[in-house]
């Protein structure tokens, strides 16, 4: 629902029944500049929705039965970023997705993301119901509810929903598109208000003066203000966008390093060993050493110097983001979510050996995880710590349940 729809109800439009009488619209000749602005608006509106769908639909399809078909088409698109070092990092995650960390607040971010996304969705529906209910029953002016507080509640709701999805599916590409989406919403809101001023005159001007755009008027003082019009406004907006994107990415890279420091890990010169479960250093080291010493595993690992990313996963855990589940198990589970029971057998683990793919010339230790953009599965080893032995060495699936889609590293 746009601002023009809402103000149309306030102004007593023919389809809204009796309402506040608008002042006569001032007719002005449409200049070439206005035509260009209209063309930009027409082109930008679908672009905004494309950005929004990109960050929301990846998550929604991820948890739906449509995921397999969706990723069969979408996966190759994401893998295009892996052709260049300049873009390969975009498919990485900056927060833990399937790993349990030693940080309570990191562990709380995903449930919080679901709650924030639900809040945004409810706010969006609330705003839509206000407008369309008023149209349906011809009540006239819509001045209560969300529209009494801010002028663009549904843009705000979509921003809240997108932020929740960002916490649940924290890919760097999603972060970039989210920041871009916010600025596109701001541009669309400004253009809508220009149209409303030309159409409804002082009635809309008075509404705008008493109501904040995205936050209540009393809180709008802390928001940055741009020049009113012209090239200075465009330059200032571009500078603010670049600065905001730089800050967001710096925060994302910082969060990734912090998150990795709170995950159970063991690091050597050419090997990074991670556990998505919280394991003690002795447990993690023992599971890795027992698996790595097995002759069938050493034969597959190849020449020294290959950078390995190894995962130690409780046997009872179901993590479709890692290529550790045979097709029979996937068909039995028939779902895309995770199953990570806290009460698991502390003696039995799956140890997945993979080659870390990266553009870094010689990453070492923790840098192997930070620099990698993909994994090539080598061996899947069943380890029994209680007996101190390998119970099986298997060939892991070539990719995860959704195909060759870049999945989280931790």
């Amino acid at each position: 629902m746009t601002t023009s729809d809402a103000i149309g109800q306030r102004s007593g439009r023919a389809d809204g029944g009796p309402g506040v009488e608008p002042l006569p619209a001032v007719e002005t000749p449409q200049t070439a500049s206005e035509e260009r602005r209209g063309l930009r608006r027409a082109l930008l509106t679908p672009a905004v929705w494309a950005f929004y769908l990109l960050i929301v639909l990846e998550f929604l399809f991820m948890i739906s039965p449509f995921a397999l078909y969706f990723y069969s088409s979408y996966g190759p698109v994401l893998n295009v970023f892996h052709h260049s070092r300049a873009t390969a990092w975009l498919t990485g995650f900056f927060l833990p997705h399937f790993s349990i960390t030693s940080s309570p607040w990191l562990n709380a971010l995903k449930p919080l993301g679901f709650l924030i996304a639900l809040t945004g969705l409810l706010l969006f529906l609330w705003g839509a119901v206000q407008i369309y209910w008023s149209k349906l029953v011809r009540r006239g002016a819509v001045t209560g509810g969300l529209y009494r507080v801010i002028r663009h509640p549904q843009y705000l709701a979509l921003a809240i929903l997108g932020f929740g999805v960002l916490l649940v599916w924290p890919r760097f590409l999603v972060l970039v598109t989210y920041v871009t989406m916010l600025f596109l919403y701001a541009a669309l809101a400004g253009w809508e208000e220009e149209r409303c001023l030309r159409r409804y005159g002082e009635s809309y001007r008075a509404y705008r003066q008493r109501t904040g755009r995205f936050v209540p008027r009393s809180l709008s003082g802390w928001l940055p203000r741009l020049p009113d019009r012209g090239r200075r406004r465009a330059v200032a907006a571009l500078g603010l966008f670049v600065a905001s994107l730089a800050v967001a990415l710096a925060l994302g890279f910082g969060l990734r390093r912090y998150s990795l420091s709170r995950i159970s890990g063991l690091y050597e010169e050419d090997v990074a060993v991670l556990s998505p479960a919280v394991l003690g250093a002795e447990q993690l080291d023992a599971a890795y050493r027992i698996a790595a010493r097995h002759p069938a595993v050493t034969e597959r690992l190849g020449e020294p110097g290959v950078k390995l990313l190894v995962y130690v996963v409780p046997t009872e855990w179901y993590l479709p983001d890692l290529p550790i589940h045979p097709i029979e198990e996937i068909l039995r589970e028939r779902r895309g979510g995770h199953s990570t029971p806290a009460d698991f057998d502390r003696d039995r683990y799956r140890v997945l050996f993979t080659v870390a793919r990266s553009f870094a010339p010689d990453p070492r230790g923790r840098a192997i995880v930070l620099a990698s953009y993909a994994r090539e599965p080598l061996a899947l080893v069943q380890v029994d710590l209680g007996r101190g032995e390998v119970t099986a060495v298997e060939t892991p699936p070539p990719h995860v349940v959704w195909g060759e889609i870049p999945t989280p590293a931790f």
Side-chain angles (χ1 to χ4, degrees):
M1 178 57 52
T2 65
T3 299
S4 57
D5 291 322
I7 197 62
Q9 294 297 319
R10 293 184 181 85
S11 302
R13 289 161 56 178
D15 62 351
V20 179
E21 289 297 328
L23 294 181
V26 179
E27 296 293 337
T28 59
Q30 188 167 18
T31 65
S33 176
E34 289 174 334
E35 291 179 353
R36 287 195 296 270
R37 286 200 298 271
L39 179 60
R40 287 198 299 268
R41 286 193 290 270
L43 295 174
L44 185 58
T45 299
V48 172
W49 284 106
F51 273 111
Y52 190 75
L53 289 173
L54 179 62
I55 71 170
V56 173
L57 289 184
E58 180 176 359
F59 163 68
L60 294 179
F61 281 120
M62 184 75 176
I63 61 173
S64 75
F66 198 60
L68 191 61
Y69 172 79
F70 176 67
Y71 277 117
S72 68
S73 300
Y74 188 44
V77 176
L78 278 182
N79 286 323
V80 168
F81 291 111
H82 295 167
H83 295 169
S84 169
R85 181 174 187 173
T87 57
W89 59 274
L90 284 167
T91 66
F93 282 60
F94 58 89
L95 287 172
H97 183 65
F98 58 77
S99 295
I100 309 299
T101 76
S102 60
S103 168
W105 75 270
L106 279 178
N107 296 336
L109 286 181
K110 184 184 287 188
L112 180 62
F114 280 110
L115 180 61
I116 292 174
L118 177 61
T119 301
L121 177 60
L122 293 177
L123 287 174
F124 179 84
L125 295 176
W126 183 7
V129 167
Q130 280 188 261
I131 298 301
Y132 287 107
W133 175 252
S134 181
K135 286 185 176 183
L136 180 65
V137 301
R138 298 183 177 275
R139 285 187 176 179
V142 180
T143 57
L146 296 176
Y147 285 92
R148 183 187 297 274
V149 182
I150 55 176
R151 304 196 297 272
H152 300 277
Q154 290 188 294
Y155 283 163
L156 176 63
L158 290 174
I160 293 172
L161 173 58
F163 182 70
V165 172
L166 178 64
L167 293 181
V168 175
W169 197 241
R171 202 189 286 278
F172 276 106
L173 178 62
V174 177
L175 177 61
V176 170
T177 55
Y178 178 72
V179 174
T180 304
M181 181 193 74
L182 295 182
F183 278 82
L184 292 178
Y185 279 163
L188 283 177
W191 289 335
E192 285 181 7
E193 293 188 5
E194 289 179 7
R195 183 178 62 182
C196 288
L197 280 172
R198 289 194 301 269
R199 186 170 184 180
Y200 305 112
E202 291 301 321
S203 61
Y204 184 76
R205 194 184 306 276
Y207 169 70
R208 192 171 70 166
Q209 287 175 350
R210 69 174 182 267
T211 313
R213 176 180 281 188
F214 299 117
V215 297
R217 174 66 69 183
S218 59
L219 301 178
S220 60
W222 58 269
L223 294 177
R225 294 186 179 276
L226 301 177
D228 289 338
R229 288 182 174 277
R231 184 172 299 176
R232 290 180 58 194
R233 180 179 180 84
V235 172
L238 179 60
L240 183 60
F241 168 71
V242 172
S244 300
L245 189 58
V247 170
L249 289 176
L251 181 61
F253 282 108
L255 284 172
R256 185 175 65 163
R257 287 186 173 275
Y258 176 78
S259 299
L260 192 56
S261 71
R262 294 297 181 269
I263 293 172
S264 298
L266 170 68
Y267 304 101
E268 298 180 349
E269 185 171 352
D270 295 325
V271 181
V273 184
L274 300 179
S275 174
V278 178
L279 298 183
E282 293 184 0
Q283 284 180 302
L284 187 61
D285 183 77
Y288 164 64
R289 302 292 175 192
I290 292 172
R293 286 197 300 262
H294 194 278
V297 176
T298 57
E299 181 180 349
R300 299 189 190 192
L301 296 186
E303 298 295 327
V306 175
K307 305 301 179 181
L308 298 178
L309 184 51
V310 182
Y311 293 90
V312 177
V313 184
T315 301
E316 295 149 285
W317 281 27
Y318 179 73
L319 294 178
D321 293 297
L322 293 176
I324 59 176
H325 302 289
I327 187 64
E328 297 81 9
E329 184 177 359
I330 293 171
L331 293 175
R332 184 174 66 250
E333 293 286 345
R334 290 187 179 276
R335 56 194 172 89
H338 306 146
S339 177
T340 57
D343 184 20
F344 60 86
D345 188 337
R346 297 272 171 175
D347 285 334
R348 298 173 62 243
Y349 297 93
R350 289 173 166 134
V351 182
L352 174 67
F353 290 82
T354 72
V355 174
R357 297 302 182 194
S358 75
F359 288 98
D362 188 27
R364 300 185 181 188
R366 188 171 294 173
I368 296 174
V369 185
L370 296 173
S372 66
Y373 61 82
R375 303 174 294 251
E376 179 184 334
L378 293 178
L380 182 62
V381 186
Q382 304 284 350
V383 173
D384 188 325
L385 286 186
R387 293 188 293 175
E389 65 181 20
V390 169
T391 58
V393 177
E394 306 165 358
T395 299
H399 48 68
V400 296
V401 60
W402 301 287
E404 296 183 14
I405 185 80
T407 53
F410 52 83

